[in-house]
Amino acid sequence: MQRDELELHLPPVFEIGQKVRLRKLIKNDGTFPGQEIGAILGNIGDIGYIASIGTYLQTSYIYAVHFLETGFVVGCRKRELESVEEKS
């Protein structure tokens, strides 16, 4: 059993509006309209905000992240993101 299989039994790790950073290069797998397959949608270190939270195959959360620099809203899994702490 993979560890993501039980993810939906817990609340989402991130919240809508939360600032996050990409931990992984994200390329279009064919599900992002208007971009070629393989086009880079987000680079490691890119900052975005959680716009919505959905599910994938009833096993894990998908976080729609809005990257302000590109305007892209990209679906990301928990392992692809990390929280960005706001300095006060």
Side-chain angles (χ1 to χ4, degrees):
M1 181 183 316
Q2 297 177 352
R3 34 178 214 164
D4 287 340
E5 288 184 39
L6 301 176
E7 187 176 341
L8 293 183
H9 293 295
L10 302 170
V13 173
F14 304 106
E15 298 177 2
I16 293 175
Q18 187 173 353
K19 188 175 185 179
V20 292
R21 178 183 301 114
L22 272 179
R23 298 177 61 201
K24 174 182 174 182
L25 179 71
I26 303 292
K27 293 183 178 182
N28 185 14
D29 61 1
T31 59
F32 193 92
Q35 297 290 319
E36 295 291 324
I37 293 175
I40 295 174
L41 302 176
N43 287 297
I44 295 171
D46 283 358
I47 302 292
Y49 295 86
I50 304 294
S52 65
I53 302 169
T55 60
Y56 176 71
L57 297 178
Q58 300 178 354
T59 60
S60 57
Y61 291 107
I62 293 294
Y63 300 92
V65 181
H66 184 199
F67 296 99
L68 299 180
E69 284 190 27
T70 61
F72 293 160
V73 177
V74 180
C76 300
R77 296 185 68 178
K78 170 180 71 174
R79 66 178 178 237
E80 298 169 329
L81 301 170
E82 64 186 3
S83 178
V84 175
E85 297 290 327
E86 294 289 335
K87 294 182 181 178
S88 33

